[in-house]
Amino acid sequence: MIKCYPFNLLFVNIALICLDVVLAFIAFFQLCRIHLRNQRVGWTRQKVLHLMIGSSNCGYFIYFLCMVVATCKRWLCWSNVCGFVLMALPKILFLAAFLLLLSFWADLCHQANDEEDGDEENSSRKPLLETSKTKVGLSNIDIRRKCCSFQGIRVGSRQKFVIVVIVLNVLLIIAFAAIIRIEQKNPSNSLVFARVYIDFLATLVLLMGVAFGCYGFLLFSKLRRVRSEKASSEMRKVVGLAVVSVLCFTSSSLIALFTDVLLFHHWNPEKINGVKAPILLILHHVLGLSVPFAFGLWFMRELPAPSTSNRQVQPRAITFISYGSAGRHHHQYYPTATSSEKQVSRTSPN
């Protein structure tokens, strides 16, 4: 294996594979804990985010593993369609996860100004894929239907925008993959098309980082008006994730725009010398993906309140991510935050 693949790149691939496996395991393990603790709530944004983070890391695990195997086995399609698709799909899941989180921040920032329907107004505090409240005395079959069914999905306008962006990106991947497949006899042309898509993706990530910075500042300014320990904790989460997003997304986007690190599947590893390429690959993957994922999992480590059969779920009022459905008294916490002790008591968990 080492004879057909440079040792320095092999070491980098193994290190990144191990990192992706660890993050995927943490995401899926936390997803199982959340689901077992609160099965009646259905699919919340917290669960969907963990699923996307775990799936994205699994995708990168497959990509880096196939990179070594394809080079040693001399797969003909790897430098064209196969490598491009396996590189792009995990990035789409990464975008979907953080765009979903950004849409939740946008909901919180614009709650006071939105003139939408009542159901739309409270969408940020409801389960993402749930359309009805949990009833008392549900049988095990009903619970399984409720937790596993994806019928009647209702999402807010900003979440619909996220879905549209992700679908368009998937269509772009299919289109560029088809063009690269057609132009595979001319490697220079296929490389140009892959470069165009990578530049587009890097620009999208850069804009997403700017959006996180803007909405993070808006949420921070709103939370400053609430005097409570909970608000202080949420402020730290918002500021932490906003700063990490701006720094990591900006640095990884600049690396992708001004280097060919994302065209790694087009390179011939046997002709790569020095440490520049491995270092760029590590910086782009760790700063652009692993660090934001790790921060997201750390901030979402708190479990929601357990659901019971004799009362409705009363989740915590969390700025970073919602855990489930909440009453209207929690809804007033963010857009109309004041220093009134009475309002703070209404937003604090039981």
Side-chain angles (χ1 to χ4, degrees), residues 86-141:
L86 287 180
M87 177 272 299
L89 286 179
K91 193 72 173 182
I92 294 300
L93 293 173
F94 163 81
L95 283 174
F98 281 93
L99 284 176
L100 178 63
L101 179 58
L102 183 62
S103 71
F104 177 58
W105 282 20
D107 285 342
L108 295 177
C109 289
H110 297 293
Q111 270 179 354
N113 300 324
D114 285 347
E115 296 179 358
E116 301 175 348
D117 297 336
D119 291 338
E120 178 79 9
E121 186 180 21
N122 291 322
S123 63
S124 65
R125 311 304 300 171
K126 293 182 179 180
L128 181 67
L129 306 179
E130 182 183 11
T131 59
S132 60
K133 296 181 179 179
T134 304
K135 296 181 180 180
V136 178
L138 285 176
S139 64
N140 292 332
I141 297 177

Side-chain angles (χ1 to χ4, degrees), residues 210-316:
V210 174
F212 265 104
C214 294
Y215 281 113
F217 176 77
L218 291 176
L219 282 178
F220 174 78
S221 63
K222 290 177 182 294
L223 287 170
R224 286 185 62 186
R225 297 197 294 266
V226 179
R227 297 179 181 176
S228 69
E229 294 182 1
K230 190 62 182 177
S232 299
S233 174
E234 298 307 309
M235 266 195 305
R236 289 192 293 269
K237 290 182 180 181
V238 169
V239 173
L241 184 68
V243 171
V244 168
S245 299
V246 172
L247 294 179
C248 292
F249 294 167
T250 301
S251 59
S252 65
S253 297
L254 293 178
I255 291 175
L257 287 171
F258 295 106
T259 68
D260 293 330
V261 66
L262 289 185
L263 296 173
F264 197 63
H265 57 278
H266 280 277
W267 300 348
N268 184 357
E270 297 178 354
K271 298 181 180 180
I272 297 176
N273 297 315
V275 297
K276 182 180 178 180
I279 290 177
L280 287 176
L281 183 62
I282 292 174
L283 288 177
H284 178 269
H285 190 77
V286 173
L287 292 179
L289 296 162
S290 301
V291 172
F293 278 154
F295 266 80
L297 292 174
W298 173 257
F299 288 141
M300 291 189 295
R301 69 189 184 279
E302 299 179 10
L303 293 176
S307 59
T308 58
S309 58
N310 57 357
R311 64 181 179 91
Q312 186 179 350
V313 178
Q314 296 290 341
R316 303 175 183 180

